[in-house]
């Protein structure tokens, strides 16, 4: 056996596979399977011999036997049987002669489920194994997948044999065989994490192969959608597990556009619950090539794939998030195209950069009282901002891993020691609207006197006009229930929680302005003079945006932090 396969994980899987074969009356010792190459025996398994070993168990055992660091580096978390079967059930039924490809085969969970589908469609089990193709960059996973399919074959009276269709390779860089059905659970390799980031050489190779689909933060899992779709035959189908970030991440838009030009989104599953050992939230994407019968999107939700109402139209590259957000009862609000006027016409927005955040650290101290003299300025963090309320001085907050109640910046020391950062602070010391960036609804506070300094990633939204009324108009527009629903949808899955939105400065600047200015101005006045009258405010902003939906108002009010009737 190759040195790359000689490890404890594969020893455990080989022991389990041999026991599974023994249960079926044969031995795999001496077979042509890669997992048993040059093996003359295996250690005894600790699995109860009375327990029927499923072929799905081999991949799971391999995953659990790998060191956690190895799993994080490869981004591989093998697929539970129920997920594989239920996601494949969202595809149109196969014909007996269909071929199936998994370009990141792992433990072969999807191919085992696909094999059962083909048998149910009338295919002979002996032929089915020749209709399956799998590729994986992990040679160990390839050996495990082949053995798992051999156990499946034994369950269908097929003699054990080597499977040439299962081979070691790179599903993103090597040529893939064409297939009628492409399936899988590709590795999730978030490029923001050092443990899973690419080497420089691999990034260059991916960019040469996939061009503009590869950006600085492109997850490999997204690229597998493109690779799998390219491998699917005309009128073929694809079903893949994906990180939920694929639905709305800005860096994934080029991949979504690539898909939209070649296929239709026919099915969408939102896990909502944790279905893998990894902490990442997942979804399932089902695509169909060709143009017939793909107007609607079938939707499922939860670990049990509970049916949800179909979406009646195809989402564009910006609407995949909306198609999923409504599964979590986010009202379906689309503000795009209602008007060409946007927040950018009335204000600028900035969140600063890491340089600002870390640059403040030497100059931040705790104030002994709520009154801050002119040599200092209040520093605010995202946790201090609620809906039209600033919590500075009310409780403890974290800044740079330290706890503060009344954090302030020493302006004199800053000016003397960091003139560049001092200039940035001076530019922020003006009337503005400050906004938290990862919340359940939009949360802003109006700094009418321009006294606070926002700490990255707090957004500072600064009107072009010096008219004080403009601050309240901006705050009202941003606080509208329709805007919260819109931002949750267009950024769905990019925050740490599926129930939260993660908002960047560009998201704010692209927001459309209300079209009914009378209601907008009335709502802005109410927000300024009676900020606790939020139900009335919500109704007015519904008129202002032309979205007069009591359910939207009720949804927004229910999500407000610390709301009391």
């Amino acid at each position: 056996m190759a040195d790359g396969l000689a490890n404890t994980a594969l020893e455990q899987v080989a022991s389990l596979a041999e026991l599974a074969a023994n249960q079926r009356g044969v031995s795999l010792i001496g077979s042509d399977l890669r997992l048993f190459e040059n093996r003359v025996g295996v250690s005894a398994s600790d699995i109860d011999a009375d327990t029927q070993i499923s072929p799905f168990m081999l991949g799971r055992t391999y995953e659990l036997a790998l060191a956690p660091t190895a799993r994080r580096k490869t981004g591989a978390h093998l697929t539970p049987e129920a997920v594989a079967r239920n996601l494949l059930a969202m595809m149109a039924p196969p014909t007996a002669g269909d071929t199936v490809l998994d370009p990141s085969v792992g433990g072969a969970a999807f191919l085992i489920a696909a094999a059962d589908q083909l048998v149910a469609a009338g295919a002979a089990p002996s032929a089915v194994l020749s209709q399956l193709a799998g590729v994986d960059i992990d040679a160990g996973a390839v050996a495990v997948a082949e053995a798992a399919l051999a156990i499946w074959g034994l369950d269908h009276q097929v003699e054990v044999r080597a499977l040439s269709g299962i081979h070691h390779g790179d599903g993103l860089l090597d040529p893939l065989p064409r297939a009628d059905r492409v399936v899988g659970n590709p590795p999730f390799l978030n490029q923001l994490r050092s443990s899973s980031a690419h080497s420089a050489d691999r990034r260059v190779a991916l960019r040469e192969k996939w061009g503009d689909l590869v950006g600085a933060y492109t997850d490999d899992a997204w690229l597998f959608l493109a690779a799998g779709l390219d491998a699917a035959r005309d009128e073929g189908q694809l079903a893949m597990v994906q990180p939920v970030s694929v639905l709305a991440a800005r860096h994934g838009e080029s991949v979504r556009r690539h898909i939209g030009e070649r296929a239709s989104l026919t099915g969408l599953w939102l896990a909502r619950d944790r279905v893998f050992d990894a902490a990442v939230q997942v979804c399932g994407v089902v695509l169909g090539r060709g143009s017939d019968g793909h107007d609607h999107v079938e939707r499922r939700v939860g670990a049990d794939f509970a049916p949800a109402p179909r979406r009646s139209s195809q989402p564009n590259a910006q609407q995949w998030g909306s198609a999923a957000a409504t599964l979590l009862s986010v009202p379906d609000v689309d503000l795009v195209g209602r008007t060409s006027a946007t927040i950018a016409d009335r204000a600028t927005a900035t969140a600063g950069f890491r340089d600002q955040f870390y640059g403040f650290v030497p100059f931040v101290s705790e104030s002994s009282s709520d009154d801050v003299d002119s040599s200092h300025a209040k520093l605010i963090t995202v946790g201090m901002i609620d809906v039209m309320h600033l919590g500075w001085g009310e409780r403890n907050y974290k800044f740079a891993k330290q706890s503060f109640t009344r954090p302030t910046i020493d302006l004199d020391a800053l000016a003397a020691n960091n003139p560049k950062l001092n200039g940035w602070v001076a530019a922020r010391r003006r009337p503005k609207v400050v906004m938290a960036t990862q919340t359940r609804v939009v949360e802003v506070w109006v700094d009418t006197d321009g006294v606070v300094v926002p700490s990255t990633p707090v957004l500072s939204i600064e009107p072009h006009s010096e008219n004080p009324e403009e601050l309240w108009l901006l705050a009202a527009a941003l606080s509208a229930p329709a805007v919260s629903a819109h931002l949750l949808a267009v950024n769905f899955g990019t925050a740490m929680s599926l129930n939260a939105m993660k908002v960047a400065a560009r998201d704010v600047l692209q927001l459309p302005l209300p079209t009914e200015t009378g209601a907008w101005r009335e709502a802005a006045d109410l927000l300024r003079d009676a900020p606790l009258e939020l139900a009335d405010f919500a109704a007015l902003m519904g008129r202002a945006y032309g979205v007069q939906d009591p359910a939207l108002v009720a949804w927004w009010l229910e999500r407000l932090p610390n709301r009391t009737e």
Side-chain angles (χ1 to χ4, degrees):
M1 185 169 62
D3 291 342
L5 301 185
N7 58 51
T8 302
L10 289 171
E11 293 286 346
Q12 293 183 30
V13 177
S15 176
L16 183 64
E18 174 65 4
L19 182 55
N22 294 167
Q23 290 177 338
R24 291 154 174 86
V26 301
S27 173
L28 299 179
I29 303 299
S31 71
D32 292 331
L33 298 181
R34 274 161 278 206
L35 190 61
F36 288 85
E37 184 182 359
N38 298 331
R39 289 189 189 274
V40 295
V42 293
S43 59
S45 172
D46 59 3
I47 298 293
D48 183 351
D50 292 331
T51 301
Q52 181 71 6
I53 298 169
S54 161
F56 287 96
M57 292 178 65
L58 274 63
R60 178 61 172 162
T61 300
Y62 181 61
E63 178 191 25
L64 293 177
L66 290 173
T69 52
R71 275 184 274 167
R72 285 194 294 271
K73 185 173 181 61
T74 60
H77 293 275
L78 302 189
T79 313
E81 177 180 351
V83 171
R85 294 195 186 281
N86 283 314
L87 189 59
L88 291 189
M90 295 181 67
M91 305 170 80
T95 63
D98 279 352
T99 53
V100 185
L101 165 69
D102 187 337
S104 55
V105 70
F110 271 99
L111 290 187
I112 295 167
D116 284 338
Q117 280 191 327
L118 293 173
V119 169
S126 58
V128 164
L129 290 177
S130 299
Q131 295 169 226
L132 306 178
V135 180
D136 205 287
I137 201 167
D138 176 7
V142 171
V144 173
E146 183 186 46
L149 290 168
I151 299 301
W152 178 90
L154 290 175
D155 285 334
H156 293 81
Q157 291 73 55
V158 179
E159 290 186 6
V160 174
R161 66 177 190 267
L163 300 177
S164 60
I166 310 300
H167 65 273
H168 181 213
D170 190 328
L172 291 181
L173 295 177
D174 297 340
L176 293 173
R178 300 296 298 278
D180 301 297
R181 298 161 77 80
V182 181
V183 299
N185 175 16
F188 299 179
L189 295 175
N190 187 330
Q191 297 306 297
L192 290 173
R193 297 176 182 165
S194 59
S195 61
S196 58
H198 292 315
S199 67
D201 288 346
R202 180 165 175 80
R203 178 158 297 283
V204 168
L206 288 172
R207 190 62 186 263
E208 288 177 352
K209 175 72 178 286
W210 296 106
D212 291 342
L213 297 190
V214 180
Y217 305 113
T218 302
D219 194 311
D220 272 21
W222 308 345
L223 293 178
F224 270 98
L225 285 176
L229 196 60
D230 286 357
R233 299 185 190 279
D234 294 343
E235 307 302 326
Q237 299 178 75
L238 175 149
M240 279 190 185
V241 177
Q242 287 282 300
V244 76
S245 59
V246 74
L247 302 174
R250 183 174 299 107
H251 305 289
E253 184 172 339
S254 59
V255 174
R256 295 191 297 273
R257 289 187 181 279
H258 178 88
I259 291 166
E261 293 167 358
R262 293 161 176 79
S264 299
L265 181 67
T266 62
L268 179 62
W269 165 60
L270 180 65
R272 185 182 59 193
D273 313 303
R274 182 171 171 174
V275 295
F276 297 107
D277 290 338
V280 65
Q281 296 280 358
V282 304
C283 64
V285 173
V286 183
L287 305 174
R289 300 200 65 154
S291 57
D292 295 336
H294 296 323
D295 292 335
H296 67 267
V297 180
E298 180 185 359
R299 300 189 298 174
R300 304 272 174 163
V301 65
D304 59 352
F305 280 70
R310 289 179 170 183
R311 181 184 171 100
S312 60
S313 60
Q314 279 291 306
N316 61 33
Q318 291 82 37
Q319 294 174 330
W320 282 33
S322 300
T326 52
L327 294 172
L328 295 185
S329 301
V330 177
D332 191 4
V333 174
D334 185 5
L335 298 182
V336 175
R338 288 174 177 257
T339 175
S340 60
T342 66
I343 295 290
D345 295 323
R346 311 284 285 258
T348 61
T350 182
F353 299 96
R354 292 170 63 91
D355 289 349
Q356 277 85 42
F357 180 88
Y358 290 109
F360 285 145
V361 173
F363 310 105
V364 176
S365 61
E366 178 77 15
S367 173
S368 59
S369 71
D370 289 345
D371 295 325
V372 177
D373 64 44
S374 60
S375 66
H376 288 70
K378 295 179 180 179
L379 179 73
I380 62 169
T381 66
V382 290
M384 296 178 186
I385 305 171
D386 288 328
V387 176
M388 297 309 299
H389 177 76
L390 188 67
W392 187 93
E394 296 179 356
R395 58 183 177 85
N396 287 339
Y397 302 93
K398 289 288 187 181
F399 172 75
K401 298 181 180 180
Q402 296 186 54
S403 181
F404 295 93
T405 301
R406 303 179 184 87
T408 61
I409 296 176
D410 185 332
L411 297 176
D412 292 341
L414 180 68
N417 292 279
N418 194 331
K420 182 178 179 181
L421 183 55
N422 181 63
W424 188 88
V425 168
R428 305 285 81 74
R429 298 261 291 165
R430 53 160 295 182
K432 58 188 173 292
V433 178
V434 291
M435 180 176 175
T437 52
Q438 194 157 174
T439 53
R440 285 165 54 86
V441 297
V442 171
E443 296 175 3
V444 303
W445 178 76
V446 178
D447 180 15
T448 54
D449 298 322
V451 294
V452 304
V453 176
S455 166
T456 301
V458 172
L459 291 174
S460 179
I461 300 152
E462 301 159 7
H464 301 318
S465 169
E466 295 183 1
N467 185 344
E469 180 185 19
E470 195 71 5
L471 291 169
W472 297 100
L473 288 170
L474 288 169
L478 293 168
S479 299
V483 167
S484 285
H486 171 79
L487 287 174
L488 267 165
V490 298
N491 291 328
F492 185 79
T494 60
M496 290 185 289
S497 166
L498 290 183
N499 280 312
M501 67 182 79
K502 184 178 180 180
V503 184
R506 63 171 61 87
D507 298 316
V508 170
L509 295 175
Q510 292 171 358
L511 287 170
L513 295 175
T515 53
E516 211 287 89
T517 55
W520 183 16
R521 292 184 181 280
E522 190 176 347
D525 291 343
L526 184 65
L527 204 61
R528 180 191 62 215
D529 300 331
L532 297 181
E533 301 297 328
L534 292 173
D536 292 339
F537 164 79
L540 283 168
M541 286 310 299
R543 281 174 45 200
Y545 271 109
V547 187
Q548 294 177 267
D549 182 357
L552 171 62
V553 173
W555 169 84
W556 182 74
L557 291 172
E558 188 275 331
R559 293 174 68 89
L560 292 179
N562 306 318
R563 175 170 169 76
T564 56
E565 296 296 338

